[in-house]
Amino acid sequence: MLEITNAQRAEVLTQALPYIQKYNGKIVVVKYGGNAMINDELKQQVMEDVVLLHLIGVKVVLVHGGGPEMTETLKKIGKESVFCDGLRVTDKETAEVALMVLAGKINKNLVNLLQAKGGKAIGISGIDGHMIDCEMKDEKLGYVGKIKKVDVSPVTDLLEQGYIPVVSTVGCDKKGNVYNINADTAAAHIAGEMKASRLITLTDIAGIMKNKDDADSLIRKVDLNDIEDLIAQGVITGGMIPKVECCIDAIKCGVHKVIILDGRVPHAILIETLTDEGAGTMVVSDLKKNAGF
Amino acid sequence: MLEITNAQRAEVLTQALPYIQKYNGKIVVVKYGGNAMINDELKQQVMEDVVLLHLIGVKVVLVHGGGPEMTETLKKIGKESVFCDGLRVTDKETAEVALMVLAGKINKNLVNLLQAKGGKAIGISGIDGHMIDCEMKDEKLGYVGKIKKVDVSPVTDLLEQGYIPVVSTVGCDKKGNVYNINADTAAAHIAGEMKASRLITLTDIAGIMKNKDDADSLIRKVDLNDIEDLIAQGVITGGMIPKVECCIDAIKCGVHKVIILDGRVPHAILIETLTDEGAGTMVVSDLKKNAGF
Amino acid sequence: MLEITNAQRAEVLTQALPYIQKYNGKIVVVKYGGNAMINDELKQQVMEDVVLLHLIGVKVVLVHGGGPEMTETLKKIGKESVFCDGLRVTDKETAEVALMVLAGKINKNLVNLLQAKGGKAIGISGIDGHMIDCEMKDEKLGYVGKIKKVDVSPVTDLLEQGYIPVVSTVGCDKKGNVYNINADTAAAHIAGEMKASRLITLTDIAGIMKNKDDADSLIRKVDLNDIEDLIAQGVITGGMIPKVECCIDAIKCGVHKVIILDGRVPHAILIETLTDEGAGTMVVSDLKKNAGF
Amino acid sequence: MLEITNAQRAEVLTQALPYIQKYNGKIVVVKYGGNAMINDELKQQVMEDVVLLHLIGVKVVLVHGGGPEMTETLKKIGKESVFCDGLRVTDKETAEVALMVLAGKINKNLVNLLQAKGGKAIGISGIDGHMIDCEMKDEKLGYVGKIKKVDVSPVTDLLEQGYIPVVSTVGCDKKGNVYNINADTAAAHIAGEMKASRLITLTDIAGIMKNKDDADSLIRKVDLNDIEDLIAQGVITGGMIPKVECCIDAIKCGVHKVIILDGRVPHAILIETLTDEGAGTMVVSDLKKNAGF
Amino acid sequence: MLEITNAQRAEVLTQALPYIQKYNGKIVVVKYGGNAMINDELKQQVMEDVVLLHLIGVKVVLVHGGGPEMTETLKKIGKESVFCDGLRVTDKETAEVALMVLAGKINKNLVNLLQAKGGKAIGISGIDGHMIDCEMKDEKLGYVGKIKKVDVSPVTDLLEQGYIPVVSTVGCDKKGNVYNINADTAAAHIAGEMKASRLITLTDIAGIMKNKDDADSLIRKVDLNDIEDLIAQGVITGGMIPKVECCIDAIKCGVHKVIILDGRVPHAILIETLTDEGAGTMVVSDLKKNAGF
Amino acid sequence: MLEITNAQRAEVLTQALPYIQKYNGKIVVVKYGGNAMINDELKQQVMEDVVLLHLIGVKVVLVHGGGPEMTETLKKIGKESVFCDGLRVTDKETAEVALMVLAGKINKNLVNLLQAKGGKAIGISGIDGHMIDCEMKDEKLGYVGKIKKVDVSPVTDLLEQGYIPVVSTVGCDKKGNVYNINADTAAAHIAGEMKASRLITLTDIAGIMKNKDDADSLIRKVDLNDIEDLIAQGVITGGMIPKVECCIDAIKCGVHKVIILDGRVPHAILIETLTDEGAGTMVVSDLKKNAGF
């Protein structure tokens, strides 16, 4: 398909050299979701990207949710989903389905796929090692978790032993209750706690756009302090608002840069990290503008 | 409930001293199943036993299946179970339910319970780190796995970092297929590969009995070489035969002793390990009779 | 003697679980003396308690003196003991007897007893590794040591390699002189220097009592700041005063809690640490009241 | 120059994935010489290739000689080169020039170039750590070294600390004499002693060719046992014979495969290692044909 | 006293260079006894020698007995010494005196002296870590120990942490009995178990002499196989026989060379190890004659 | 030559004990140059001194320049040296000669000599590991380096693995240019960056002298603050001024003491470090006067 000579391949590889050096030994948290999780070809490419980053010495952590599959499974078992303020009301049975779908099916399938690409992965959840400690966000919503504390040692322990950690976003409390948690929030907390160099959030849009119908209006880089204005101006709207708020939290917790990345683009992660092409929108903090990588 | 003075408690603790010393630093694989997994009080006690062993320096690994819950979930989603030679025919969808129930629901619930008792646990499956490599046992049965190779490094890596590994018995192959595997077989393979000191199999019977209606006829200790005779004599029958065959395999692979333990007895694991009372039936190899612990 | 079923034993063990977790990895210095050192049955029990704590992951250090045996040996060799202000005047010959009795006979006998219970112990003195650096307290008293500096590295080195350190309380100076030192003081210094979680002082009384003839008047917990009042009120008197002053010093140096424990009670150490029963009197600092363990 | 989109770049990178995995953690010794050492553009590319291999987890060792520059320097200082049987007669002064040119100028320039590409390199010679122990090959030739023993610990020590070792091929004896050694021989000895996965020898020809004037007659793979025939048949001739003999020695010492690689091809090393295209001639041992990597 | 210029001092130091290199990292066990233990000046010199060896990287272990002081202390407490076949009959009380004198007084005094010379020492006995396991040699003799097994891990643990181990030769059995053991035998067992490079035995004679009244008849080096002849010829007689038998045992267990050294010579240890002068008699094994150091 | 008995040798060795202890584990940087680098006997002695210090546990780093040999080689190749303000104008070709002479010939010869004395050395330059980062001091002078930053990790890495690092004083910049740097300055920077205990500078004078024609007027110890006065008074003049300024820089960067040592005295380094005789002039800082070693 790609008619490139081996000489050209070698040249491409050496042109990636400065990028490989830049990311070597750095922590990159990838929040995996949306189309890139549904379309099988895109999924394969994300797996390749993650394994490649891991091999060139990046400490990649893959964090995933799985909304659509949960809905589907709940339907299968004849459990009707009730929503309140746009959030799924989560009773004990629903929380258990979250465990089954997120920590069971999706998590292990991702581990399997990464390993088919040659990676060595271990899938865990926010329950393992009591990693994500939660409480109820709102009693009306049941077991929808608000994160109280994240202890990333299970993730760093796995990285240290050479595994790619794959994290499903369910949490727990001291009494042993299970909570469903928003994957964007969880990824932001984990990246923040790890002081990651990058949090890459795969979404189904090109990034933050001045005019959402004009692909050319993509904002390549936005400062933390300008985001409030963008919301006020109606540039950032709807479901993008909570996503962007997670980015802000992550940066405030110590993540260097957050990328809202178009998961519909093949190998978007590699293009973002190993080429000179910025993909999606990068959120940075004013204070860190000059802080290099 | 238990009217015991603290002076007596102290005495009980010091009487456990030689047993604690004997097990310190040793590997004990617990195959968890049956009644002890269903009855909530027994479940709590198994968790306490495992956490206590872990705390006194035993390297405990908890291996679990989950047959009854799988049947229940399959029923819920309206999938009829087909059996062939007593084994569930496992198509892709059933294998996925195995992932959900075993690697998702049961695995994380066990992790949660261990942690509620103060342990630090991480739950994995045979897919993580490509730990249990499988192939089809019989094409008719679909994704019922025959174990080809076990790589216990994910388990030993977790033990090394101070976690209690909880292993759900699903496996995979190089192509990324998921297999349901018999939990007794998986536990025997893991224990064998780790050269465990003990494989403790929790069951719903008192052990191997000369006369199954007479509790007093329990055989306390049986040699590997005498088991064939016991089968021929009809002492070991039915579902006990494959269980006992797993014990034999484990011992041949290097496990020192295997205990078929009555999971219906409260704290059976502690009684077996930390008191002078042998519980259940111990299977040993002739060659190792004098090999001490 | 103790008619307890194995089921009850298992229950006792699991009830100790939270206490075992609480003490796991913590440093506990036991000052061993008094009746518990003379009565053979009590001695055996202290050894069992220390070995058990060691096995469940507590870093136990056993510190001992040996006043009565010194007197006896001095008598045997026909050396009369001269006292001055209640302290034994210690000439060179007496200091050498201290070496023989404390660092030789008692120290090695304790090591021997701990090992008979399954522990792995090494006995050292304040001279080894120049651990306890002394000067004369008062020229009139001769080689009665006032501690100038404690370097606990020999103790931590032994703990790190898995031994139970047994420390006899003789010290030295740079010129090579040998000093006899008060065991309570030495234990307090060692515990303080190690920032121990607990200093447990075995004595021959029930603890600090409001009315020393009324066992029920035992003060379970006393704050550092209230001790002066208790001395002023005559509640703490006589030989108890210097003991309590050592406790104060230890807490000021960083020990979390000090327990004055009745060594005449069988397994007093285990009762104190692994049951809900407070034994003896606990001395705490106001500032640490809420500091948890 | 290369009109390739970033999407294509990403695809090229992921296509390199299986090769990267294959070489990860392996030892590759590169014998650097010939045109690739003279032509500046080729030199830059070799440096890029080495740094890239290092970054993707290959343990690369760069071994170099420097014949032409030696001749030039000798000429500059007015020292005439005398040859005997095609080898330069090496008196003390000539040996010192070898030190200056090889261990000084060329070695440090290579370190400098690797570092300009982002690598972290340390340049040593066979004298450092008494790595290459020599004796005279032939008295007539003076200080032309015959290798008696190679101690690769300086190289492995540097690899362990994350440096790219650059080795200049001068040796020494116990009396402190300095020897000039053939770079092919030295590289073969070092690779053999390290049990390297690959020894890559950069030369100025396409490889072993059936007909040296016909590029299409290149022999892609040749077995150790067939080489003698090829020499007898006049296929391998002249300066190629000693080169090939070094390959044989290396394989006999434990190197898995030796590649005679055309250093005139840009990025020949990357093409050989990270693409499906075999470049040059691979020498393997019959015994290892099926031994995988 | 010694009129040597600093220039000469420097020369002496550099002349010691090859000897320092030879002993660097090697294990040397010094059996300390006889005159060198009684004469105060010689004692100081032995301490200096041991500390110097330790500082230049030798792993020195000091093993001591203390016969004369034991006799003296027994006399002091009015206990009459009974001998049987030349060995002291050792009842429980005598064994306890051994503890006091050897493990208490002498051991700690040696530690003190080494530390006064700048060493960092820890004194232990054969009881610590259950290092020397004994049984009765002969019931008539009481607690005179015959060594059953030596576990040198306490000694190697202390060496590893940078201490000079000082070992007093009392042993124990599993029941907690204390045994007095011959120091030569103990030193030979320890050196053998450690595969020491040297066992140096300090005695009160010049070495093995052909004619014991003629200092010039000293045998500098003797082979294991020739010793029997020397005993038959009456060259080795009396108390020298058991000493030499210990040497033989040590060499058979793996000690490279044993030196019977004249402890009456100032700094005999340094002269033996760091100069070209052989002091005393070296016992070697034929098989090892050519085995270098 | 030296008529000293072995008994005296032993005494000399033990008298060095306190000095050996003082220097054990400390960092000593030796700036090697002048006569001691030209006279062969003195050279051998410096090598012995360095190897001996290394063996007794000192972390010695040997830093060298090589002015006279550079001039000689430049002359040989017919390159005329141009000087400007007393500094050699260094064009590209001259910088390359610096590489050849310093990093090639001299560096490897020193490594060779140290190894002939039994040391294990590795020679590196300021280019290796990009250790000495430079820029031009003055455009007129060409590649005469002004040190911008020193990264001593190559030196500490080598020390950690037991090698004696030998450093030739050429530097580099990010573009790959090579710089010739003043050896005194480089040694001061390296010692300062390492917070060395001692910087020993070998020179051809006795030290700082009040009257340079009167050997007895040597100033044994001088404070940092008094040096300016000494320059003003004309006591420190000419080439001594930049040397002394390097000393000041080193001390300001954290070196404890700097010694200007007479390299013409045999074994001057050992006399300075291991005897009571101060050799040369010691420069100290007022603030550190009481800071002990």
Side-chain angles (χ1 to χ4, degrees), chain E residues 79-180:
Chain E
K79 174 99 191 172
E80 209 169 326
S81 293
V82 179
F83 287 84
C84 172
D85 300 339
L87 289 164
R88 191 196 311 274
V89 175
T90 303
D91 58 9
K92 285 253 172 203
E93 196 186 7
T94 309
E96 224 154 61
V97 170
L99 269 192
M100 293 204 292
V101 174
L102 303 184
K105 187 174 162 195
I106 298 178
N107 188 267
K108 297 315 165 196
N109 279 334
L110 290 178
V111 166
N112 227 339
L113 287 169
L114 286 171
Q115 294 184 157
K117 300 295 177 193
K120 201 177 105 183
I122 282 187
I124 57 174
S125 71
I127 293 170
D128 297 283
H130 205 115
M131 186 167 139
I132 307 181
D133 189 57
C134 294
E135 62 187 359
M136 280 191 183
K137 206 186 188 80
D138 183 341
E139 293 233 342
K140 285 182 306 186
L141 293 170
Y143 294 98
V144 170
K146 183 180 157 194
I147 297 177
K148 283 172 66 186
K149 220 185 107 209
V150 171
D151 170 5
V152 292
S153 53
V155 168
T156 52
D157 285 347
L158 293 175
L159 282 173
E160 198 186 287
Q161 294 184 313
Y163 296 102
I164 304 171
V166 181
V167 183
S168 66
T169 52
V170 285
C172 60
D173 61 19
K174 293 252 160 73
K175 287 178 217 133
N177 293 308
V178 171
Y179 294 83
N180 191 4

Side-chain angles (χ1 to χ4, degrees), chain B:
Chain B
M1 184 195 70
L2 178 66
E3 288 188 41
I4 281 183
T5 64
N6 277 330
Q8 287 173 315
R9 282 171 196 284
E11 208 171 336
V12 165
L13 287 165
T14 53
Q15 282 164 358
L17 203 51
Y19 302 100
I20 294 177
Q21 287 167 335
K22 199 172 70 168
Y23 275 95
N24 196 270
K26 297 298 190 307
I27 296 168
V28 173
V29 175
V30 175
K31 155 62 208 334
Y32 179 47
N35 237 316
M37 205 159 166
I38 297 162
N39 175 306
D40 194 59
E41 199 176 336
L42 287 170
K43 198 186 236 178
Q44 297 291 338
Q45 288 164 347
V46 170
M47 298 302 117
E48 287 170 350
D49 292 8
V50 166
V51 172
L52 189 68
L53 287 185
H54 178 72
L55 266 175
I56 61 176
V58 182
K59 294 172 181 162
V60 214
V61 180
L62 194 65
V63 179
H64 68 90
E69 294 215 35
M70 267 209 65
T71 308
E72 192 186 322
T73 303
L74 285 168
K75 204 184 297 169
K76 260 192 192 166
I77 66 166
K79 172 103 192 169
E80 208 166 327
S81 293
V82 180
F83 286 84
C84 171
D85 302 338
L87 288 165
R88 192 195 311 272
V89 176
T90 304
D91 57 8
K92 284 253 172 203
E93 197 187 6
T94 308
E96 225 155 59
V97 171
L99 268 192
M100 292 205 291
V101 174
L102 305 185
K105 187 175 160 192
I106 298 178
N107 188 266
K108 297 315 166 197
N109 279 334
L110 291 177
V111 166
N112 226 340
L113 287 169
L114 287 171
Q115 293 184 156
K117 301 294 178 195
K120 202 176 105 183
I122 281 187
I124 58 174
S125 71
I127 293 169
D128 297 283
H130 206 115
M131 186 167 138
I132 307 182
D133 189 56
C134 293
E135 62 189 358
M136 279 192 184
K137 205 184 188 81
D138 183 340
E139 292 234 341
K140 286 181 306 186
L141 294 170
Y143 295 98
V144 170
K146 183 180 156 194
I147 297 176
K148 283 172 68 187
K149 220 185 107 209
V150 171
D151 170 6
V152 292
S153 52
V155 168
T156 51
D157 284 348
L158 293 175
L159 282 172
E160 199 186 287
Q161 293 184 314
Y163 296 103
I164 303 171
V166 180
V167 183
S168 66
T169 51
V170 284
C172 59
D173 62 18
K174 294 252 160 74
K175 289 178 216 134
N177 293 307
V178 171
Y179 294 83
N180 191 5
I181 26 179
N182 178 274
D184 285 307
T185 315
H189 271 82
I190 291 168
E193 199 65 34
M194 298 182 82
K195 311 286 173 215
S197 293
R198 293 287 182 280
L199 166 60
I200 295 178
T201 300
L202 289 174
T203 61
D204 284 349
I205 55 162
I208 301 176
M209 282 176 293
K210 285 199 188 128
N211 173 351
K212 72 177 172 172
D213 300 323
D214 174 9
D216 290 346
S217 72
L218 178 70
I219 300 174
R220 296 271 173 204
K221 199 172 187 174
V222 66
D223 189 84
L224 216 59
N225 300 321
D226 302 334
I227 283 178
E228 216 163 301
D229 285 354
L230 290 173
I231 293 174
Q233 293 159 17
V235 173
I236 300 173
T237 57
M240 202 59 188
I241 295 178
K243 256 186 207 302
V244 165
E245 281 168 352
C246 287
C247 300
I248 295 175
D249 285 352
I251 286 178
K252 284 186 177 159
C253 288
V255 175
H256 294 204
K257 289 171 184 170
V258 179
I259 322 288
I260 297 167
L261 196 64
D262 190 347
R264 301 165 307 177
V265 173
H267 294 302
I269 298 172
L270 285 194
I271 293 172
E272 167 60 29
T273 50
L274 301 188
T275 75
D276 59 359
E277 189 175 310
T281 298
M282 175 180 288
V283 185
V284 295
S285 158
D286 200 12
L287 294 161
K288 286 172 193 160
K289 256 179 192 155
N290 309 312
F293 188 66

Side-chain angles (χ1 to χ4, degrees), chain E residues 1-2 6 8-11 13-15 17 20-21 24 51-52 55 117-118 267 270 275-277, chain F residues 1-2 4 6 8-11 13-15 17 20-21 24 51-52 55 117-118 267 270 275-277:
Chain E
M1 182 196 69
L2 177 67
N6 277 329
Q8 286 173 316
R9 284 172 194 285
E11 209 172 334
L13 287 165
T14 54
Q15 282 165 358
L17 203 51
I20 293 178
Q21 287 168 336
N24 195 271
V51 171
L52 188 68
L55 265 176
K117 300 295 177 193
H267 295 302
L270 285 194
T275 75
D276 59 359
E277 189 175 311
Chain F
M1 183 196 72
L2 179 67
I4 282 184
N6 278 329
Q8 286 173 315
R9 283 172 196 283
E11 207 170 335
L13 287 165
T14 53
Q15 283 165 0
L17 204 51
I20 294 178
Q21 286 166 338
N24 196 270
V51 172
L52 189 68
L55 266 176
K117 300 294 178 196
H267 295 300
L270 286 195
T275 75
D276 59 358
E277 189 176 311

